[in-house]
Amino acid sequence: MPVMTDLPNHIGGEFRAPERDAWLDVIEPATGRPYARVADSGAADVDAAVHAARAAYPGWSGLSARDRARAIMRLADLLERDIEPLARAESIDTGKPIALARRVDIPRAIANFRFFAGASIHASGEFHDMPGEAINYTLRRPRGVAGLISPWNLPLYLLSWKIAPAIATGNTAVAKPSEVTPKTATMLAALASESGLPPGVLNIVHGRGPTAGAALVEHPLVPAISFTGSTRAGRWIAGRCGESLKRVSLELGGKNPNVIFADADLDQACETAVRAAFTNQGQICLCGSRVLVQCSAYEQVVERIAAGARGLVPGDPLEDETRFGALVSAEHLDKVQSAVESARRLGGQVLAGGRRAGPPNARCEGGCFYEPTVIAGLDPACEIEREEIFGPVVTVTPFDDEDHAVALANGTPYGLAAMLWTRDLSRAHRVAERIEAGIVWVNCWMLRDLRTPFGGTKDSGVGREGGLEALRFFTEPKNVCAKI
Ligand code: NAD
């Protein structure tokens, strides 16, 4: 039995128990057992964190970009020193394979801090000339205290994606990580103190969405909210921010199409389709959860994807060789299971998986394991094809030609990401342009250049993060128009 630890808030550079002394159990998904307690914060804790951030703001925003970047680089170095404990904590928190946390989540979180520290130094301003009349230059200044709210699927990575640009541009931050996976955020707070980041620049308040999260969204001293999570919570936050005229960025759900034309390199397309469907047990917003295949290649592709799914055996996330771990919680597993049952009722054929998986070893009895699942034969207009499941479930659908492929790809309320497989260069550009998504990957998946905008359209979000877009979101423009 692991030792129970407490995960308190981190406010003004100090760890603090929540004011009401209320705590939530944190469950390890691979075992179904609690291993820690996390602060169940309320409005008073959020208020204390916002005031700590507000107090740190003049000093931090008054530093040069170079000095801020130096401090953030020191934090990145400490994260790199601690990759192994961080990866272990992330695996215990989420149920993801430790190899994935080691290879992707933690290194990408470190890369975020380094990228935004560098980018904030090299950011350039804007200048507009009115010859003979005036010159205009646009200043960009931090907004103040940034409220940052993140989900459970890539806990450290998504938090760093928000914290890094917020503080690099001179804001101070109050971050509310997911209550389901709080451990790495607490470790980050400790490393921030160790790195010498001034107290109050980064505050972590744990707790549930409708209490701690909502208090952060509604706090009058927080002018900007950056949220990643479900479309449902995003809608509520957008409404609240609208009323108080806060700046808001929303990174929400997806139902991403993976479009495979018959002329594609089918070896690569099928291998990547399996990875895109099942990495992190299908719990990445960018997962390809709908595979659309041109009719002439349909049977071959479907068989290969189903075989790939059968080859992924759920394992203990803490074992080095595991490639497919546990779902994040029993509640989420129930949701995935009921989606698969609905798909069966709607006439879907389950070609692989479709059941709870047994525990891979004695330690994992009581864990949340589900088989990688492939479903064919559903009506593209049905709820299962349109709504996010956010688990290890992929559907496959045939299409005739480009127009049909585009209509299917765009046939959901979401527009986060898409993949496209073809050897025809003109078709690739043509179809990429027509698909409604924030990012279209051609003959690849999950390649990211941090300078490019990131985010979705339609119900997948509002605003864009990444690179210059994030630097813009966290700064307020002010134009100076000087007569000459
Ligand atoms: P969620 O919306 O339930 O929770 C996300 C975060 O918001 C948590 O910290 C939660 O406590 C908080 N929260 C919930 N309700 C809130 C409220 N009313 N006010 C303030 N905060 C609130 O989402 P989740 O289940 O943690 O994450 C899964 C979802 O996140 C999926 O829909 C997935 O697609 C999405 N996601 C999107 C991206 C992206 O970049 N677009 C990335 C990762 C995950």
Side-chain angles (χ1 to χ4, degrees):
M1 185 77 178
V3 182
M4 286 282 276
T5 48
D6 280 352
L7 304 173
N9 296 325
H10 194 260
I11 297 176
E14 286 172 4
F15 282 111
R16 287 198 213 166
E19 294 207 1
R20 288 180 298 114
D21 202 31
W23 300 83
L24 301 165
D25 278 350
V26 188
I27 312 286
E28 180 179 1
T31 65
R33 290 190 292 273
Y35 79 94
R37 296 190 316 166
V38 66
D40 184 10
S41 308
D45 302 289
V46 170
D47 189 53
V50 171
H51 279 94
R54 192 64 223 170
Y57 179 68
W60 182 248
S61 59
L63 291 180
S64 68
R66 192 167 296 278
D67 283 344
R68 286 197 298 265
R70 214 173 268 135
I72 295 169
M73 290 290 191
R74 278 197 298 272
L75 172 57
D77 290 346
L78 294 184
L79 287 163
E80 183 150 37
R81 181 196 70 189
D82 285 0
I83 282 185
E84 195 50 35
L86 285 162
R88 191 178 162 81
E90 177 122 338
S91 174
I92 291 173
D93 251 4
T94 61
K96 76 179 55 179
I98 191 167
L100 183 68
R102 230 182 240 143
R103 197 183 71 249
V104 179
D105 299 62
I106 312 301
R108 285 196 178 196
I110 297 166
N112 282 341
F113 281 109
R114 292 196 170 129
F115 172 80
F116 284 110
S120 66
I121 294 176
H122 299 293
S124 54
E126 285 160 41
F127 167 77
H128 296 93
D129 193 7
M130 297 164 74
E133 264 188 292
I135 54 170
N136 294 268
Y137 55 91
T138 308
L139 300 173
R140 288 205 159 259
R141 294 292 179 261
R143 295 188 188 276
V145 178
L148 314 174
I149 303 177
S150 55
W152 47 258
N153 61 326
L154 307 164
L156 186 64
Y157 170 74
L158 288 171
L159 206 56
S160 68
W161 179 242
K162 299 183 181 306
I163 292 171
I167 66 174
T169 46
N171 301 277
T172 52
V174 176
K176 211 250 6 117
S178 170
E179 64 277 25
V180 183
T181 54
K183 178 84 197 251
T184 46
T186 301
M187 294 169 80
L188 174 70
L191 293 176
S193 286
E194 187 185 340
S195 75
L197 199 72
V201 170
L202 169 60
N203 305 276
I204 307 277
V205 181
H206 290 293
R208 289 168 291 141
T211 48
L216 185 56
V217 168
E218 301 201 308
H219 201 292
L221 292 179
V222 177
I225 295 289
S226 172
F227 171 82
T228 300
S230 62
T231 297
R232 185 187 44 78
R235 276 189 213 287
W236 183 84
I237 291 171
R240 300 307 295 155
C241 289
E243 277 177 38
S244 51
L245 301 180
K246 291 185 193 223
R247 301 295 174 273
V248 64
S249 163
L250 303 172
E251 299 289 350
L252 310 175
K255 188 76 176 174
N256 310 310
N258 184 357
V259 183
I260 303 177
F261 285 92
D263 71 345
D265 175 337
L266 294 182
D267 290 344
Q268 266 201 36
C270 293
E271 187 263 320
T272 311
V274 172
R275 238 173 3 96
F278 300 123
T279 299
N280 204 32
Q281 298 72 249
Q283 303 166 132
I284 301 182
C285 56
L286 302 170
C287 275
S289 53
R290 292 184 295 142
V291 181
L292 310 176
V293 192
Q294 196 160 23
C295 288
S296 57
Y298 181 75
E299 288 202 0
Q300 189 196 151
V301 168
V302 168
E303 184 38 50
R304 288 164 83 166
I305 291 175
R310 285 183 217 110
L312 275 175
V313 181
D316 183 340
L318 287 180
E319 286 177 4
D320 284 343
E321 59 282 3
T322 294
R323 293 292 169 267
F324 186 89
L327 300 200
V328 75
S329 65
E331 193 190 357
H332 191 54
L333 188 142
D334 285 347
K335 195 184 138 213
V336 169
Q337 203 160 14
S338 84
V340 174
E341 290 320 313
S342 297
R344 282 199 171 98
R345 278 195 302 278
L346 291 168
Q349 302 153 254
V350 177
L351 305 177
R355 293 181 309 179
R356 265 194 93 135
N361 59 22
R363 188 187 92 82
C364 293
E365 267 173 38
C368 307
F369 295 93
Y370 198 83
E371 292 177 347
T373 298
V374 181
I375 304 175
L378 287 170
D379 177 348
C382 78
E383 198 191 335
I384 299 300
E385 290 282 12
R386 288 169 54 81
E387 282 305 324
E388 186 180 43
I389 298 172
F390 213 54
V393 180
V394 68
T395 60
V396 282
T397 307
F399 67 82
D400 306 316
D401 55 16
E402 268 179 44
D403 285 345
H404 191 198
V406 170
L408 289 175
N410 292 342
T412 78
Y414 298 99
L416 187 54
M419 288 133 268
L420 173 55
W421 295 86
T422 178
R423 285 190 169 105
D424 180 334
L425 186 61
S426 304
R427 167 188 281 157
H429 293 307
R430 223 169 27 236
V431 177
E433 205 270 328
R434 294 176 67 195
I435 291 182
E436 295 162 355
I439 183 166
V440 179
W441 278 294
V442 177
N443 296 330
C444 62
W445 177 63
M446 275 283 264
L447 268 182
R448 286 278 298 121
D449 181 328
L450 291 177
R451 294 169 297 182
T452 59
F454 176 87
T457 180
K458 294 158 66 178
D459 284 2
S460 291
V462 172
R464 290 287 187 280
E465 299 189 357
L468 291 176
E469 304 292 333
L471 299 182
R472 281 175 192 276
F473 175 72
F474 286 112
T475 53
E476 185 81 40
K478 178 198 291 175
N479 192 56
V480 178
C481 177
K483 188 161 175 15
I484 52 173

